[in-house]
Amino acid sequence: MTPDAISPPPRSALCVAVLGAGLMGAPMARNIAAAGCQVSVWNRSPDKVLTLAAPNITVAADPAEAVQNARVLVTMLKDARAIAEVMSVLPDAESVPETPVCWLQMSTVGPADMSGLKTLADRKGLTLIDAPVLGTRQPAEAGQLLVLAAGPDSTKEAVQPVLDAVGKATRWLDTAPGMATRLKLALNSWVFALTHGAAESLALARGLGLDPELVAEILRGGPLDTPFFQMKALAMASGDFTPAFTVDNAVKDSGLILDAAREAGVRADLAEAGLNRYRRVQAQGRGDADMAASILA
């Protein structure tokens, strides 16, 4: 069912199915629709997608309905288990029309999950593109995510309208799925290290009787400063943990980082300590808070 080359229809006619409309998936669906694609969206919690009904967006009752006419399928679900559960209910290749469909798997999963997802894609007659994104809710809303992609060269033209709609840039890494997922975990390791480092620095300042905002003020504009640090430091100092990326998701991704590190023979002390911090925040009932809530640990 998957041809050697997949030519995209005109951009205005491209039909895209988005499975998963949470903090990231919902704004991604809006941006894909705004780019002129016809979008069918499904989410496990129907109440979260009712607000998405708009020009170029149709809310589907189930995953099978969402993908019925799609040429590109996007998954933005919690983890590999959720992805497999949702994708397994789709028709197998022999029972669907001979229409090439590219599957942009944009959730964060582990390297060990990729073989199972590739097998599932083959069974469903889909061409799998490993395409996790770097960024949180705000970049997703602005269409400014960085897409890491690995998949056949023949799919690039077909999926480019979708990638352009959700991201400021796409970095193609390999022609087979897997490399993008590995790089995403390495990058997330750095994101979490920055977050926990900021949390401990501000908490230490407070514990020593200082205004924690002094830390951000002194670093601002210097060689040790980053926009990410300033954003998270402000959230930590103000106690505003409106989620851009939740603690629950950070626990999931931290676990994936540790699993991958063990498989690679890399000792990841910071990732392990960070996971323990996030678990302490979860124990306080704050798993739905932004990952800046590391300071609560």
Side-chain angles (χ1 to χ4, degrees), residues 79-100:
D79 52 28
R81 178 179 295 180
I83 296 165
E85 287 178 357
V86 170
M87 296 299 293
S88 292
V89 306
L90 301 184
D92 286 345
E94 61 270 15
S95 62
V96 297
E98 291 296 315
T99 302

Side-chain angles (χ1 to χ4, degrees), residues 278-291:
Y278 279 137
R279 283 175 172 162
R280 294 202 298 274
V281 178
Q282 278 185 323
Q284 298 176 29
R286 299 301 303 274
D288 59 349
D290 185 74
M291 61 180 172

Side-chain angles (χ1 to χ4, degrees), residues 245-261:
F245 188 82
T246 67
V247 169
D248 286 339
N249 280 327
V251 167
K252 184 265 292 185
D253 285 3
S254 296
L256 293 175
I257 290 166
L258 284 172
D259 290 343

Side-chain angles (χ1 to χ4, degrees), residues 104-106 128-133 146-153 155-156 159-160 163 169-181 183-184:
L104 283 167
Q105 201 309 97
M106 306 188 84
L128 177 63
I129 300 114
D130 174 24
V133 296
L146 174 61
V147 183
L148 309 172
D153 288 337
T155 64
K156 290 183 180 180
V159 300
Q160 201 60 53
L163 301 181
T170 299
R171 177 66 183 271
W172 287 91
L173 299 162
D174 200 2
T175 58
M179 200 63 72
T181 278
L183 181 56
K184 175 63 190 298

